[in-house]
Amino acid sequence: MLEPFYNPSSVLSEPLASMTIALLLENKTYFDPKNPTTKKPSRYEHILKIFGREYFLFEQGGQSAIRRDRKGLGLLMEARNIIQGSVGDCYFMSAIAGVVEHYPELIYRLFVLDRNPASIYGIRLFIDGMWETVITDACFPINQYGHFLFAKPHNLEIWVMLLEKAWAKIYGSYENIHAGFNDEGLTALTGAPCEQLLSDADGTLEKLKIYLKKGYIVSTSASDMIGQMSEREQEQMGIFSGHAYSVLKIESDLTFRDKKITLVRIRNPWGSKEWKGDWSFNSPLWTSDLRDRLNYNRNPNDGSFFMSMSDFLVYFYRITVCYVSLGKVHSHIKLESDRTHSVMVAFTVKTRGDYFISLYQENRRKYQQSSNYKLSKSRLFLARSVGGHIEAIASKACMSENLHL
């Protein structure tokens, strides 16, 4: 079965369709009996009661209207709409920001239902190698003061909150989505495989230029040097450890004081707390010509900032590249194997192009309350049949939830 890579479903699944029709016919509001739990003192409240007025899935206008470079669905959502709450899921928030910045249509297509009188939503996420529809409601955890505990609304729109809630529901609780790497979130949102790079590896800069030019999504996290700093020192610098950032652009054809320089534009998914060193917004290094060229005359106040490539290679280390591309197709097959037997799958490639072969195991987040679940060491071996002979192409092995060739 083939599904569009960029649009997991264009029709309602049977369970969601039946539930929605029944609720609408009976004029009822949906309340999810399996909302994700949290250990924080809280209660679930419907968004209409919290806001006290009409809400939107995606709200057009507002701050988005300021961004003249945003068009189409980019007017409905952008990175500044993403406001992280009290759970440490910046890896997921940064993934949302990265996808929205490049391909807002991919986020839009994750929502099977738009805002509706029954307040029932179906959100498609790529889980363990397959697209899964998560059914949820429009209720969110709030504290005793009526404040949102987790992802915050931007104006009156709730799409980010629903994405985070669906992610938490898959794994049972908001606590179970604490901490992670950006590739996990990117794959869940796009279905695309990811690759890890290290900033000090040979050829990383050239690879990043190529990947960004191709439209791939790139994110990064702070180096160990930042982790050794105190919270106060991190605050003063504007870079934070254990935190995922989106890499938006590399500007390499720039001249400063008769020398060629390369600047990197990065975004903090918190929507604030930017880098305060060289080439930050208030840096004295900026000239009016460079500000005009990079359209940086007004402080965006959205968590984005510039820094030199040399500083980037010092303060950031782990880089994630998501090979997302519009128009790709996805096909999957579920397999079982054991330690003593391999599984072979034969397929025919009829058209020349870029292909990714992936192997997924169940995510350990599903078993955080159990010590019995262990990942298996996996190996992917790709070969082709040529004239009756088997010719090896590539192989990879590791102890991980997923492998890609």
Side-chain angles (χ1 to χ4, degrees):
M1 178 182 68
L2 292 179
E3 297 177 305
F5 185 81
Y6 57 92
N7 184 5
S9 176
S10 58
V11 297
L12 290 178
S13 63
E14 179 58 35
L16 181 57
S18 300
M19 292 171 65
T20 304
I21 292 171
L23 288 164
L24 292 174
L25 289 175
E26 297 175 19
N27 196 28
K28 289 183 176 180
T29 299
Y30 179 62
F31 293 97
D32 190 351
K34 297 182 179 179
N35 272 323
T37 62
T38 176
K39 296 177 182 178
K40 297 178 183 293
S42 62
R43 70 180 189 276
Y44 269 92
E45 201 72 80
H46 194 278
I47 194 67
L48 281 174
K49 188 172 182 179
I50 300 172
F51 282 162
R53 56 186 295 188
E54 185 180 20
Y55 70 94
F56 301 90
L57 188 57
F58 304 100
E59 184 183 25
Q60 187 167 2
Q63 291 188 35
S64 297
I66 298 173
R67 291 284 303 278
R68 302 303 180 189
D69 59 322
R70 302 290 285 180
K71 299 179 176 63
L73 291 172
L75 294 175
L76 297 182
M77 64 190 93
E78 56 177 310
R80 74 176 71 211
N81 303 156
I82 302 162
I83 307 172
Q84 187 178 342
S86 62
V87 66
D89 62 349
C90 63
Y91 68 95
F92 190 69
M93 293 294 157
S94 178
I96 298 173
V99 179
V100 163
E101 195 73 32
H102 294 83
Y103 302 108
E105 59 268 50
L106 298 187
I107 296 294
Y108 183 79
R109 289 164 178 164
L110 296 178
F111 292 85
V112 183
L113 283 174
D114 204 339
R115 183 168 59 97
N116 59 86
S119 296
I120 185 171
Y121 295 95
I123 297 155
R124 297 275 279 176
L125 295 173
F126 193 76
I127 307 300
D128 300 335
M130 297 178 289
W131 286 104
E132 180 178 326
T133 300
V134 182
I135 300 174
T136 190
D137 59 21
C139 298
F140 300 94
I142 58 174
N143 62 19
Q144 58 181 326
Y145 305 107
H147 299 155
F148 292 98
L149 281 178
F150 304 114
K152 316 294 187 207
H154 173 262
N155 294 336
L156 297 173
E157 61 186 13
I158 64 169
W159 63 274
V160 177
M161 299 163 65
L162 283 172
L163 279 176
E164 182 188 55
K165 184 182 176 185
W167 183 242
K169 182 176 178 179
I170 288 170
Y171 300 113
S173 74
Y174 281 95
E175 281 72 24
N176 283 350
I177 63 171
H178 174 81
F181 291 111
N182 200 229
D183 55 335
E184 185 182 4
L186 287 168
T187 295
L189 296 168
T190 67
C194 296
E195 178 187 358
Q196 303 298 326
L197 303 175
L198 300 180
S199 63
D200 59 358
D202 292 339
T204 293
L205 174 58
E206 294 308 315
K207 285 182 179 180
L208 289 180
K209 289 180 181 179
I210 293 171
Y211 293 155
L212 289 170
K213 188 175 181 179
K214 285 187 174 183
Y216 296 153
I217 298 169
V218 180
S219 68
T220 187
S221 56
S223 65
D224 291 340
M225 178 188 297
I226 301 297
Q228 295 170 3
M229 296 179 178
S230 65
E231 290 185 8
R232 182 181 179 185
E233 289 173 326
Q234 292 182 33
E235 188 77 34
Q236 291 174 339
M237 178 176 285
I239 302 295
F240 300 87
S241 64
H243 189 54
Y245 293 78
S246 298
V247 179
L248 304 179
K249 200 170 185 180
I250 293 179
E251 300 282 359
S252 57
D253 296 324
L254 303 175
T255 301
F256 176 69
R257 296 176 181 171
D258 298 324
K259 293 182 179 180
K260 292 292 184 180
I261 62 169
T262 298
L263 299 181
V264 186
R265 188 158 195 173
I266 302 167
R267 184 182 184 278
N268 184 340
W270 289 343
S272 61
K273 297 187 180 295
E274 297 94 354
W275 160 250
K276 298 175 183 177
D278 290 349
W279 300 106
S280 60
F281 183 78
N282 293 319
S283 170
L285 297 179
W286 283 101
T287 64
S288 57
D289 288 343
L290 280 174
R291 285 193 186 275
D292 288 342
R293 179 170 176 177
L294 301 182
N295 192 26
Y296 204 49
N297 288 295
R298 177 189 295 177
N299 191 340
N301 289 318
D302 64 352
S304 67
F305 55 87
F306 282 98
M307 72 187 323
S308 68
M309 176 56 71
S310 57
D311 281 339
F312 173 77
L313 297 178
V314 170
Y315 297 120
F316 292 96
Y317 184 63
R318 180 186 171 105
I319 300 168
T320 301
V321 180
C322 180
Y323 296 108
V324 62
S325 179
L326 300 181
K328 296 285 188 180
V329 295
H330 163 257
S331 181
H332 72 263
I333 181 171
K334 198 168 184 176
L335 302 169
E336 291 186 7
S337 65
D338 56 42
R339 296 178 182 272
T340 59
H341 295 87
S342 298
V343 176
M344 299 183 66
V345 177
F347 58 93
T348 302
V349 178
K350 296 182 178 180
T351 307
R352 181 180 295 272
D354 294 330
Y355 293 86
F356 292 93
I357 312 298
S358 303
L359 176 65
Y360 291 87
Q361 299 185 64
E362 282 194 289
N363 196 307
R364 285 172 289 189
R365 291 185 189 277
K366 294 180 179 178
Y367 302 95
Q368 292 199 27
Q369 306 306 317
S370 172
S371 59
N372 296 326
Y373 180 72
K374 295 181 180 180
L375 291 173
S376 299
K377 184 174 182 179
S378 304
R379 179 183 293 274
L380 262 181
F381 182 81
L382 183 63
R384 62 185 172 188
S385 176
V386 180
H389 299 283
I390 301 298
E391 180 180 297
I393 299 175
S395 67
K396 186 181 289 186
C398 70
M399 190 82 73
S400 175
E401 272 104 349
N402 54 74
L403 280 174
H404 306 291
L405 287 177

